[in-house]
């Protein structure tokens, strides 16, 4: 059971205080779920036109673009303040009484309409219009007790269509939650909660075109393009796009729309134009505009005898549909659809599987991404007509403690690895800083070992990488090079990859493509040299053009990530970068790029092989007596250059402090530090890892693992290596830079039993940070391969 189950959660939400005015990020209180309710942690959400329409407080009988709405009232003051949002993906945090088919940790999609599974509609195979949970935009409270689960200092904040996903946590009726495959990337499948499923299902479930048939799509917005995607999946030979805006035609080509008609370009009804193009009419047509004229044209353009027209968009309440009765008598069929005829709980999981099986292509719908703090940008994109779907990543961590403990600094893991704190009393440090480390038991080194291990096994069996030839000796890696120190990761990776089972010389079977740029050689070079090399690959091979480079990757540990490459958009936008010690406040993109530990090469001893150098140690990997706890009499160790504010603050507060082995230098090489202070490292409980000037602490993390010190990360924007797999809370201490003055108090506040468990976990996790001359299971090389495997369905910008 979740540690917060049954308690109020404080978190961030984007609140609409006035219709049409920018949303405001507020701290809200989210009550526990009641009977038949579920509290979700939202990880990704997206903006739909329906959110915008009701945010603008427009009067609609039914909304367009996929969400059909019961009721005709405009938004009135009783529905404001409100939390919008209904396309999202998240994880179950806790469940209310009576919920049996969901549990904490399940990956889910909240949906604006529901499936109670008890009413006559839910029991029918012919409808998805649930009596109990059919969408209602006027209701801003929960069905169970008529109250909102959101509040700010006692003031209720109202729900929107039962989902309110513009909040880090939300409460939803269990009937409006679809449990999905936990392997599905939530930043992609979150868009299936509304418009895309509506258009897709309109074609696949209602129009049901046969292979080789012709399909006309009226309206080439998101829903229309989803309908076109359904026609492509069904095997239609002709997909005709109809829209009054010819600027949409280029985008529609990505969805296999083969022909285009702008009614304004013709002096006859568009249904006649289509009839002439298709020998008396198309086999199927789907309308996605809400225009009554488009609806009539959609019906009248289908072929006599077998033509089927499907209406998706919703007209104004006073519109009338007029057509000659002979169109019906001639056996043309007219149908309507609600949410693509998908039952949310029963059918959406299978739609997700279409994406996982590469039948459904979601990436081409996603044109923008913004952090939660910039959610109003998503509205700007929508209102200006820029792009299709904008993903909003929930990047602010909630104060995830009981309401009565809001005076403490509260910490909670994000998928990206960042941690934030929230103080109510700015100038006081709480007695407890980490829930994870004080008063709570320390768990496994993994987030979900039961998920990681089978996926890792699949990766080892299936994953293939093609390496482009390094034609340019001035920019590309040469296997004969012996790169050391900060360039060692690049060298070790290539030395491991080429002889491994992951390497293939057949690009047609490859999942990913490696661009063999060398960090060392490209440092300081003109961006034109690098761009020319990449363009030569694009012109010589067809593989870049499949995804705009989103299935390519390269090493970017030093010299590239902060230098020349940033000026080459071909590489920055879509290509996966393997980056050592990255920071979020740089141009590192966490959902796309991969964080690596910086390789630590200790001094070699006589007889040591070069391959015994690793990020963990330069001697055989074993547990020495020095690793054990009794000798660790000092609280913490750090030695290094004063090249950042956080390091200078360490000197201000702790120079000469007896509890710490701290050594401050204007400039000093890391190898010299390690040689000089090896005994002090073995004698310290914690190894302090403060942010450096241009990186996330450099080799400090790997020093700590080498010498068995529990790492203390002092960095506001660090992305932890292998954070998709490893739970850093259970073998490290994660602090904000502003907590330097309280460092001693925080570390002394960690119970000894918790520290011992963290230390044991640290020794266990070391295997994931070691290079081997012949790779072994779960070592550093294979962990990098697993991270690449997870990103093989990367977003395209």
């Amino acid at each position: 059971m979740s540690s917060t189950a049954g308690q109020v959660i404080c978190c961030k939400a984007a609140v609409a205080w006035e219709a049409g005015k920018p949303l405001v990020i507020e701290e809200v209180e989210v009550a526990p779920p009641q009977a038949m309710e579920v509290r979700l942690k939202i990880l990704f959400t997206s903006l739909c036109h329906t959110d915008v329409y009701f945010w603008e407080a427009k009067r609609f009988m039914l909304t367009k673009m996929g969400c059909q709405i019961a009721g005709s009232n405009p938004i009135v003051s009783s529905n404001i303040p409100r939390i919008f949002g209904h396309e999202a993906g998240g994880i179950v945090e806790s469940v209310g009484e009576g919920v049996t088919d969901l549990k904490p940790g399940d990956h889910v999609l909240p949906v604006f309409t529901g499936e109670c599974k008890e009413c006559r509609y839910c029991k029918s195979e012919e409808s998805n219009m649930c009596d109990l949970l059919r969408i209602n935009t006027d209701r801003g409270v929960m069905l169970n007790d008529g109250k909102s689960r959101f509040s700010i200092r006692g003031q209720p904040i109202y729900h929107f269509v039962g989902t309110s996903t513009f909040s880090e946590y939300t409460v939803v009726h269990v009937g409006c939650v679809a449990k999905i495959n936990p392997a599905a990337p939530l930043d992609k499948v979150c868009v299936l909660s509304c418009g895309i499923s509506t258009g897709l299902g309109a074609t696949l479930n209602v129009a049901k075109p046969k292979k080789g048939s012709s399909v006309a799509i009226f309206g080439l917005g998101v829903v229309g393009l989803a309908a076109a995607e359904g026609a492509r999946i069904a095997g239609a030979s002709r997909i005709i796009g109809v829209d009054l805006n010819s600027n949409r035609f280029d985008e529609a080509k990505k969805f296999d729309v083969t022909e285009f008609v702008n009614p304004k370009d013709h002096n006859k009804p568009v249904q006649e134009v289509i009839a002439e193009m298709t020998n008396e009419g198309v086999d199927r047509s789907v309308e996605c505009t809400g225009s009554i004229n488009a609806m009539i044209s959609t019906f009248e353009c289908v072929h006599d005898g077998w033509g089927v027209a499907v209406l998706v968009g919703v007209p104004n309440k006073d519109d009338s549909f007029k057509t000659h009765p002979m169109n019906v008598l001639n056996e043309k069929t007219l149908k309507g659809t609600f949410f693509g005829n998908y039952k949310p709980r029963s059918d959406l999981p299978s739609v997700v599987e279409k994406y996982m099986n590469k039948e459904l292509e979601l990436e081409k719908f996603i044109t923008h991404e913004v952090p939660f703090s910039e959610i109003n940008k998503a509205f700007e994109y929508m209102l200006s007509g820029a792009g299709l779907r904008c993903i909003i990543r929930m990047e602010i961590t909630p104060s995830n403690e009981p309401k009565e403990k809001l005076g403490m600094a509260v910490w909670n893991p994000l998928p990206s690895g960042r941690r934030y704190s929230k103080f109510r009393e700015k100038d006081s440090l709480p007695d407890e800083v980490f829930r994870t480390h004080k008063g709570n038991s320390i768990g496994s080194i993994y987030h979900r070992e039961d998920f990681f291990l089978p996926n890792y096994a699949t990766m080892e069996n299936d994953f293939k990488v093609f390496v482009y030839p390094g034609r340019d000796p001035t920019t590309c890696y040469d296997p004969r090079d012996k790169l050391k120190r900060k360039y060692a990761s690049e060298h070790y990776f290539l030395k491991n990859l080429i002889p491994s089972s992951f390497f293939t010389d057949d690009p047609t079977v490859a999942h990913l493509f490696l661009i063999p740029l060398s960090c060392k050689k490209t440092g300081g070079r003109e961006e034109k040299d690098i761009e020319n090399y990449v363009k030569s690959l694009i012109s010589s091979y067809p593989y870049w053009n499949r995804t705009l480079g989103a299935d390519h990757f390269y090493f970017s540990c030093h010299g590239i990530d902060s230098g020349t490459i940033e000026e080459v958009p071909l590489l920055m936008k879509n290509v996966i970068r393997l980056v050592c010690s990255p920071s979020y406040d740089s141009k590192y993109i966490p959902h796309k790029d991969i964080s690596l530990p910086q390789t630590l090469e200790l001094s070699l001893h006589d007889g040591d092989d070069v391959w015994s150098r690793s990020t963990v140690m330069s001697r055989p990997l074993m547990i020495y007596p020095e690793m054990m706890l009794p000798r660790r009499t000092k609280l913490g160790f750090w030695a290094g250059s004063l090249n950042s504010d956080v390091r200078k603050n360490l000197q201000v507060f702790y120079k000469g402090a007896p509890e710490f082995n701290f050594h401050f230098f204007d400039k000093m090489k890391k190898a010299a530090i390690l040689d000089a202070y090896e005994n002090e490292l073995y004698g310290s409980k914690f190894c302090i890892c403060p942010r450096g000037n241009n990186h996330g602490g450099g080799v400090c993390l790997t020093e700590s693992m080498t010498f068995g010190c529990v790492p203390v990360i002092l960095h506001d924007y660090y992305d932890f290596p292998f954070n998709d797999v490893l739970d850093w809370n259970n073998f490290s201490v994660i602090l904000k830079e502003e907590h330097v003055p309280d460092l001693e108090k925080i570390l002394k506040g960690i119970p000894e039993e918790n520290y011992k468990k963290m230390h044991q976990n640290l020794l266990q996790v070391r295997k994931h940070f070691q290079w081997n001359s012949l790779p072994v299971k779960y070592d550093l090389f294979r962990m990098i391969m697993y991270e690449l495997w997870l990103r093989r369905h990367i977003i395209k910008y």
Side-chain angles (χ1 to χ4, degrees), residues 348-373:
L348 269 192
S350 65
V351 182
V352 171
E353 291 310 308
K354 284 185 183 296
Y355 170 74
M356 297 298 287
N357 295 331
K358 300 183 181 180
E359 298 175 59
L360 170 61
E361 299 172 4
L362 292 179
E363 286 84 355
K364 56 192 178 185
F365 289 96
I366 301 169
T367 53
H368 296 86
E369 179 175 338
V370 297
F372 187 39
S373 57

Side-chain angles (χ1 to χ4, degrees), residues 235-252:
S237 61
R238 297 179 70 181
I239 305 175
I240 302 171
V242 183
D243 202 292
L244 295 170
N245 182 358
S246 298
N247 292 331
R248 289 180 164 182
F249 294 166
D250 283 341
E251 186 74 35

Side-chain angles (χ1 to χ4, degrees), residues 89-107:
I91 298 174
V92 175
E93 176 270 337
S94 60
V95 301
E97 181 183 352
V99 177
T100 58
D101 55 351
L102 290 173
K103 64 182 184 303
D106 284 343
H107 287 217

Side-chain angles (χ1 to χ4, degrees), residues 31 101 190 202 240 290 310 350 367 436 480 621 664 711:
D101 55 351
C190 66
I240 302 171
V310 180
S350 65
T367 53
T436 309
R480 296 168 296 182
L621 184 59
F664 306 97

Side-chain angles (χ1 to χ4, degrees), residues 120-189:
R120 53 183 175 161
Y121 290 101
C122 288
K123 291 180 178 180
S124 168
E125 295 181 358
E126 299 181 15
S127 177
N128 65 341
M129 301 179 72
C130 178
D131 252 342
L132 177 67
L133 300 170
R134 194 178 308 177
I135 185 171
N136 186 322
T137 60
D138 292 338
R139 185 173 58 236
V141 294
M142 300 300 292
L143 282 172
N144 185 55
D145 58 3
K147 296 179 181 179
S148 173
R149 301 290 176 260
F150 299 107
S151 63
I152 297 179
R153 295 178 291 278
Q155 178 183 2
I157 308 296
Y158 294 100
H159 297 250
F160 178 64
V161 296
T163 52
S164 293
T165 61
F166 293 166
S167 173
E168 293 180 310
Y169 284 81
T170 189
V171 177
V172 183
H173 191 285
V174 66
C176 297
V177 179
K179 180 180 176 181
I180 64 169
N181 185 344
L186 291 174
D187 60 333
K188 309 297 189 303
V189 299

